[in-house]
Amino acid sequence: MKPLHVCITGAAGQIGQIVAFKVANGEIFGKSQLINLALLDIEPAFPLLEALQMELEECLFSSLKSITITTDLKVAFEKCQYAILIGAKPRGKNMQRKDLIEANSKIFEEQGRAINEYADRRIKVLVVGNPANTNCLICLKNAPRIRNSNFCAMTRLDLNRAKYQIALKANRNVSTLRNVIIWGNHSSTQFPDVSQAYFINEDDEIDNENDEEIRVEEVIKDKTWIQKDFIELIQQRGTTVINARGLSSAASAAQAICDHMRDWIQGTPSNSITSFGVISDGSYGIPRDIVYSFPVVCFNSEWQIIKNLKIEEFTKKKMEESAKELIEEKETAFRFLNY
Ligand SMILES: NC(=O)C1=CN([C@@H]2O[C@H](COP(=O)(O)OP(=O)(O)OC[C@H]3O[C@@H](n4cnc5c(N)ncnc54)[C@H](O)[C@@H]3O)[C@@H](O)[C@H]2O)C=CC1
Ligand SMILES: O=C([O-])CC(=O)C(=O)O
């Protein structure tokens, strides 16, 4: 079996360090898939990359064929088939993610260009660095040789957070919960939506056609909680973690990266949908040319937006608010980059 070329940017950072071990241990591509791992960071972080390399090597991961540590975009992205773009400045207390546009948009412009020039034409790119949706848009605009659908922004952490809170409130096992959706921006305007979500029977955790379903809105009858407290809790979760630990989420973000990539590559489990930030094709009236989180399914290593869900007025308004913010972010970023 041929080894895969995988690149992690910002690998010396708090998320990057955790993801590197997970990738090396087969959490995305499986334990039998060999990996050539490229770890990119900036010069001041190079000693941390050296230490990371030593530790990875000494874990004796059977799927890790080689490790390259580098500060050079060409070396990092040469022949790259999967890129996880984390390297960027994180926000601190009292900041919104969009306050990072000036600090981070150039990074994604440069990396988009390098991916365009050096990577495998079929590369799949997950953008994590904030503001993730707008950085993803910048990246794909700078990589015209690569299909737009090969770029995603990560909203999986929001989805995992939402699923946890719903299962907790319902006092049910999270593994029996299906089809929660994150719409929009990875920001405080995102809309975590349970209108399509349901629980399957506890005894029926292995999906099959005969799963008995019960809608979340029939289990959690507290409409105020669903339409207000729950939404705000998920929209503000990143901030809550920053306020508690002084730094943004790391381990849960690393896990969400693996969950996103695994679904993308190996396919979503049957009867399950997930949410990806992807280039809008105009579905649900969302303007084109922004990266927006939609419900998707994946098969054959491709995602597809779930169409024709019935959208209520409440949902539609929330979806539009987030689209409006993404258009504003795009305008700010493009002005800054002189596009
Ligand atoms: N989409 C999401 O759900 C989430 C996104 N994030 C975002 O991920 C990013 C990284 O977060 P952390 O790992 O906590 O930050 P961190 O500060 O611990 O690590 C960032 C790493 O990126 C490196 N870096 C900076 N500029 C770079 C460049 N031009 N090229 C390559 N590497 C570069 C830094 O040297 C550092 O090692 C932040 O923007 C954060 O806001 C964090 C959590 C969740
Ligand atoms: O909140 C932040 O800045 C980091 C992040 O994206 C998250 O935890 O969802």
Side-chain angles (χ1 to χ4, degrees), residues 10 12-15 41-42 86-90 111 128-130 154 186:
Q14 51 156 4
I15 302 171
D41 212 293
I42 49 176
I86 309 166
K89 192 171 170 209
Q111 292 184 358
V128 177
N130 277 319
M154 188 170 88
H186 174 62

Side-chain angles (χ1 to χ4, degrees), residues 257-283:
I257 290 170
C258 293
D259 293 344
H260 179 117
M261 293 301 290
R262 203 188 43 246
D263 278 353
W264 196 359
I265 296 159
Q266 297 182 16
T268 36
S270 64
N271 301 331
S272 277
I273 61 178
T274 186
S275 297
F276 282 9
V278 296
I279 191 81
S280 170
D281 63 352
S283 294

Side-chain angles (χ1 to χ4, degrees), residues 91 97 130 157 161 186 238-239 242 248-249:
R91 67 176 169 145
R97 298 184 186 98
N130 277 319
L157 179 53
R161 288 166 172 163
H186 174 62
T239 302
I242 292 170
S248 47
S249 303

